[in-house]
Amino acid sequence: MSLEVIILAAGQGTRMKSRLPKVLHAIAAKPMLGHVMETAAKLSPIATHVVVGHGGDLLRSYLDSSSNNRSLNVVEQTEQLGTGHAVDQAIPQVATDSVALILYGDVPLTQLQTLQDLVVRAEQGSLALLTVELTNPTGYGRIVRDAQHQVVAIVEQKDASEAELTIREINTGIMALPAAWLKQWLPQLSSDNAQGEYYLTDIIAMAAAAERRIEAIHPASEQEVQGVNNRLQLAELERWYQLQQAQHWMTEGVTLADPARVDFRGDIRIGQDVSLDINVILEGRVVIGDNVSIGANSVIKDSSVASGTVIKPHSMLDETLVGENCDIGPFARLRPGTVLANNAKIGNFVETKKTIVGEGSKINHLSYVGDATLGRGVNVGAGTITCNYDGVNKFQTEIGDHAFIGSNTSLVAPVQVGAGATTGAGSTITKAIEADTLGVSRGRQVNLKGWQRPQKKSEPL
Ligand code: UD1
Ligand code: CA
């Protein structure tokens, strides 16, 4: 049986107090809707329908940019008349012989296994509900069971009797069922209830009356079905998610100085015997080899770091490729397009951009090196600057193998320094230097014997 996913995301999310639609608020740098879409995609549905309303344009552009899924169908719900009404907007485009899985865009962390369990039961001809027992069920729809413990209805908080309010098993809102049943029952919903809404949950009583099998299954943890209504709940889920990631990486052989103070935000791969000190952030597509150590407060974004490299505290890497056994930081800033060959060394207060640093080359202190190519064994002295920008265009600097750039050299690009060449400290290099040649450009020092320091003038009366 084919599967179709319906994601409800039309709600306003007033309590976020945000211009951004609620489902675009992020957990681990990915919008909640993105988490839901990603998990749903792993079930290989033939189509995914996202019901949007508030902030529909923003949601559409997010969905366009994030997904190359041609089976994605964005459905507009212009007025938010309830969850039943929301599903009804999508249902004409759902194949009658499919199974429909209903998800919420603001419940981001449901696990694949849990959804698979629901879908399998729906394929076997059940209405499969995801429910959970809570110590405090206030606000949720309650699962009403008969004397045989069979689910017979869901009653919303605002419509519940005293007795029903004591029920602790609640509706998470996530369910799977044959689409044909939805097509049959949705038109029969009424808004004659405390909230004047078309409740999707009213189909449960219809299923019971039609003697359809209703099965309740439970998630492995409560957080899987936790919805987000405000920024406190967003932060709680973020922490839970991060702790799961931290536990995963520790079981995979990564040492974390403190599992509560490290963040994984994206598609991360880490080798063995890696150690991450506190407040390390790995973001985007990050690949870390074996035996890498990353110092406190470092941010590694969309980068790869090969085995044996040491990154000292307070370093920032963005779109950077780092070879083996490099030594980086503290306080290094490697910007997009930086490539370090093996054994390269980037010291404190060094900024690089679109720069290739050859094997064993060193830029140890206080430098800006941009739009440059350095050969092997180059030594760049403290305070070296590539003057790569004339205010309009960027120009290249090329430095040959084993060149020695004296401290405080300004390299006015485009410029080439040949292999084995040297620049004198404090030089402004504007012309190419041939191999094995000294380039120096600075005023000659003059020493004046017997020179008198100026005297302080006596104050006029
Ligand atoms: C719903 C369930 C309740 C369940 C709870 C779990 C109903 C009637 N009630 O209640 O049993 O315990 O979720 O959190 O289904 N949405 C739309 N269009 C609408 C209304 C809602 O897209 O017209 C979306 C919202 O964006 C949200 C989801 O549906 O993602 C749930 O809506 P919400 O208003 O939070 O439902 P609750 O009243 O909390
Ligand atoms: Ca809700």
Side-chain angles (χ1 to χ4, degrees):
M1 224 180 211
S2 55
L3 173 70
E4 303 209 23
V5 174
I6 302 171
I7 302 175
L8 305 189
Q12 185 162 17
T14 326
R15 282 172 284 169
M16 296 300 283
K17 305 221 168 125
S18 175
R19 288 200 180 85
L20 194 66
K22 175 162 75 171
V23 296
L24 293 187
H25 283 262
I27 303 269
K30 185 193 296 168
M32 291 195 276
L33 182 57
H35 285 273
V36 178
M37 300 275 301
E38 230 179 73
T39 314
K42 290 183 184 147
L43 296 162
S44 311
I46 57 163
T48 300
H49 311 267
V50 183
V51 182
V52 307
H54 287 281
D57 291 344
L58 283 169
L59 287 178
R60 259 177 234 274
S61 56
Y62 168 68
L63 289 167
D64 283 349
S65 68
S66 71
S67 126
N68 44 18
N69 183 352
R70 290 211 194 108
S71 57
L72 179 69
N73 173 31
V74 180
V75 188
E76 182 106 18
Q77 186 194 23
T78 38
E79 261 187 299
Q80 279 67 60
L81 302 179
T83 50
H85 182 258
V87 174
D88 202 32
Q89 306 309 298
I91 206 71
Q93 300 182 62
V94 176
T96 308
D97 61 355
S98 67
V99 156
L101 171 66
I102 295 165
L103 303 173
Y104 288 0
D106 57 1
V107 180
L109 300 183
T110 318
Q111 298 299 295
L112 181 61
Q113 183 61 56
T114 305
L115 298 184
Q116 269 165 348
D117 288 354
L118 281 173
V119 169
V120 164
R121 284 172 170 78
E123 281 170 350
Q124 293 163 349
S126 293
L127 192 168
L129 280 178
L130 189 60
T131 76
V132 67
E133 288 221 5
L134 296 180
T135 28
N136 178 10
T138 309
Y140 292 98
R142 307 298 205 282
I143 306 295
V144 181
R145 291 176 183 263
D146 67 10
Q148 284 74 49
H149 207 61
Q150 293 301 306
V151 176
V152 292
I154 295 178
V155 57
E156 293 302 304
Q157 165 93 19
K158 288 184 179 150
D159 301 283
S161 66
E162 287 282 304
E164 287 164 340
L165 286 175
T166 65
I167 298 171
R168 287 181 26 222
E169 187 185 6
I170 64 100
N171 173 36
T172 65
I174 294 169
M175 64 178 83
L177 70 163
W181 299 356
L182 281 172
K183 295 199 175 200
Q184 186 189 343
W185 296 327
L186 288 176
Q188 298 171 35
L189 291 180
S190 112
S191 60
D192 183 15
N193 53 50
Q195 300 182 79
E197 286 183 3
Y198 295 93
Y199 291 163
L200 178 63
T201 43
D202 283 351
I203 67 167
I204 311 307
M206 294 178 193
E211 298 191 335
R212 299 296 190 184
R213 192 164 62 227
I214 304 171
E215 287 184 82
I217 71 150
H218 313 296
S221 75
E222 231 175 74
Q223 285 84 358
E224 273 195 52
V225 295
Q226 183 67 58
V228 170
N229 294 312
N230 57 42
R231 297 188 200 233
L232 282 79
Q233 290 170 336
L234 186 70
E236 275 169 23
L237 269 198
E238 174 80 37
R239 278 303 104 214
W240 181 75
Y241 180 83
Q242 290 301 342
L243 200 54
Q244 302 297 305
Q245 303 293 304
Q247 285 168 357
H248 165 75
W249 286 117
M250 289 188 291
T251 57
E252 290 294 307
V254 175
T255 297
L256 301 179
D258 181 352
R261 286 183 294 170
V262 56
D263 276 25
F264 302 94
R265 304 174 182 166
D267 177 6
I268 316 286
R269 272 162 232 189
I270 311 181
Q272 261 186 358
D273 295 309
V274 166
S275 77
L276 306 183
D277 208 335
I278 59 166
N279 299 331
V280 167
I281 298 175
L282 305 182
E283 184 163 336
R285 285 178 177 275
V286 174
V287 180
I288 309 281
D290 296 337
N291 296 301
V292 168
S293 137
I294 303 182
N297 304 316
S298 292
V299 179
I300 317 292
K301 188 167 176 252
D302 295 317
S303 294
S304 84
V305 179
S307 303
T309 285
V310 175
I311 298 176
K312 291 174 185 147
H314 304 282
S315 295
M316 161 99 214
L317 279 64
D318 187 3
E319 291 180 40
T320 287
L321 299 177
V322 177
E324 293 175 7
N325 302 311
C326 290
D327 189 336
I328 297 170
F331 297 100
R333 179 166 184 220
L334 308 188
R335 291 171 51 203
T338 298
V339 178
L340 305 186
N342 297 344
N343 304 305
K345 190 167 184 317
I346 304 291
N348 42 220
F349 306 108
V350 170
E351 175 181 347
T352 61
K353 188 217 69 174
K354 284 195 184 150
T355 283
I356 296 171
V357 178
E359 187 167 346
S361 290
K362 298 174 184 170
I363 314 173
N364 275 341
H365 334 265
L366 298 156
S367 292
Y368 170 64
V369 181
D371 299 306
T373 304
L374 280 63
R376 306 156 64 98
V378 170
N379 194 318
V380 175
T384 294
I385 305 288
T386 53
C387 310
N388 60 324
Y389 185 50
D390 62 6
V392 188
N393 298 301
K394 303 267 169 73
F395 298 98
Q396 290 289 322
T397 299
E398 284 160 43
I399 302 176
D401 295 346
H402 305 289
F404 183 97
I405 309 299
S407 292
N408 204 30
T409 296
S410 297
L411 296 157
V412 182
V415 73
Q416 297 80 35
V417 176
T422 302
T423 72
S427 292
T428 298
I429 302 297
T430 56
K431 289 185 287 202
I433 305 172
E434 283 166 35
D436 303 313
T437 303
L438 170 69
V440 58
S441 73
R442 61 182 181 225
R444 276 186 185 277
Q445 181 170 337
V446 180
N447 293 339
L448 300 178
K449 269 211 165 110
W451 180 75
Q452 296 281 315
R453 289 186 190 169
Q455 303 292 308
K456 192 170 171 80
K457 287 191 180 128
S458 57
E459 296 279 326
L461 290 170

